[in-house]
Amino acid sequence: MQTATASPRTGAEGVEVLLFDVFGTVVDWHGSIAREMAHDHPQVDGAAFARAWRAGYQPAMARVRSGELGWTRIDDLHRMILDGILPQFGLAHLDEAARAGLNRVWHRLDPWPDAVDGIRRLKGRALCCTLSNGNLGLLTRMAKRAGLPWDCILSAEVFRAYKPDPATYLGAAGVFDVPPERVMLVAAHHDDLAAARACGLRTAYVERPFEFGRDAPKDVAARPENDLHARDLLDLADQLGCPAAV
């Protein structure tokens, strides 16, 4: 039997669509990559490898935003970064098949423990959709493997613009034919949330203190500019008055 739930926080009144950042917010990219490296390449510092790979993410997208590169999917940007860091970790000998297989680790990222149940509960409150820089094939394979119960998968690929380009946030609102103020971005990254707010979206920050590993915790202190601040997606569901899973 379902129990009564609290009324949603004022900061989310009128919200019809919840858009989710994915890497770091919904899935544990660092832990997933470090675990795979420990299994397949135990001689490598998997934690450092994961962080080095991720460190190339923003600079690679900046090359697309600047026009230095034409539109390039994240799968292909990940591969460019991977090829660049392999020699640093003594893996320059990996052949094409091994490199392609390793690059697909981004399709195999594990969800945070609260993610699947959290999204399932939040779907009772609003449409739940990705808004990630990851490409559609990557996000779809990830969701299928991890059991992420999205209502819809949207990607920067749809709008051919990487966050924080306004085209992504406003484009997602347009897909659902709702004004930006009826859309809330859920993310563990303040820069993403700030860009969404600049477009008129509401924002919810989710704490992921160990996104970069337990040996590199990040500051997850609340900031007043966000409408909501949650420990995880289950806490966010509680704040939005979503029924508990049965």
Side-chain angles (χ1 to χ4, degrees):
M1 183 174 68
Q2 292 183 353
T3 58
T5 55
S7 298
R9 290 264 187 100
T10 301
E13 287 181 0
V15 168
E16 298 179 29
V17 180
L18 295 172
L19 299 175
F20 292 77
D21 171 67
V22 176
F23 298 125
T25 302
V26 176
V27 297
D28 176 14
W29 60 265
H30 179 273
S32 301
I33 293 172
R35 286 188 290 273
E36 185 151 329
M37 293 301 293
H39 182 270
D40 295 342
H41 304 283
Q43 77 280 15
V44 172
D45 182 340
F49 185 89
R51 287 193 285 265
W53 202 348
R54 182 68 171 178
Y57 182 68
Q58 289 295 341
M61 288 189 296
R63 294 178 64 192
V64 176
R65 295 189 194 103
S66 71
E68 179 185 346
L69 289 177
W71 176 255
T72 308
R73 300 180 312 160
I74 284 294
D75 269 341
D76 298 319
L77 294 181
H78 278 157
R79 177 58 191 271
M80 290 167 53
I81 302 163
L82 175 64
D83 287 340
I85 67 170
L86 286 176
Q88 302 171 35
F89 292 90
L91 296 174
H93 63 279
L94 293 185
D95 62 16
E96 173 58 29
R99 292 176 185 228
L102 179 53
N103 199 51
R104 283 288 185 96
V105 69
W106 294 93
H107 298 203
R108 301 187 291 271
L109 302 182
D110 296 324
W112 293 109
D114 56 278
V116 173
D117 286 344
I119 295 166
R120 188 174 292 120
R121 286 182 60 194
L122 289 162
K123 287 174 64 173
R125 171 67 173 77
L127 292 169
C128 289
C129 177
T130 65
L131 185 61
S132 172
N133 285 329
N135 47 284
L136 290 168
L138 181 161
L139 294 170
T140 302
R141 290 190 176 98
M142 177 197 295
K144 187 172 181 65
R145 177 185 176 276
L148 297 167
W150 301 117
D151 288 313
C152 178
I153 292 176
L154 288 180
S155 159
E157 184 180 9
V158 174
F159 311 108
R160 298 182 74 83
Y162 283 125
K163 294 187 296 179
D165 192 306
T168 58
Y169 309 105
L170 296 175
V175 165
F176 295 105
D177 195 24
V178 294
E181 63 268 21
R182 291 190 176 274
V183 180
M184 174 174 276
L185 180 69
V186 179
H189 310 114
H190 286 296
D191 54 350
D192 197 0
L193 295 168
R197 276 195 306 278
C199 294
L201 277 67
R202 317 280 269 284
T203 57
Y205 180 76
V206 178
E207 296 179 6
R208 297 299 186 196
F210 304 120
E211 177 184 355
F212 294 89
R214 290 190 171 271
D215 58 337
K218 70 178 189 180
D219 180 14
V220 293
R223 295 189 184 180
E225 56 266 32
N226 290 312
D227 295 285
L228 297 175
H229 180 102
R231 293 186 308 276
D232 57 26
L233 296 186
L234 293 172
D235 181 36
L236 182 62
D238 288 342
Q239 293 187 38
L240 294 180
C242 301
V246 293

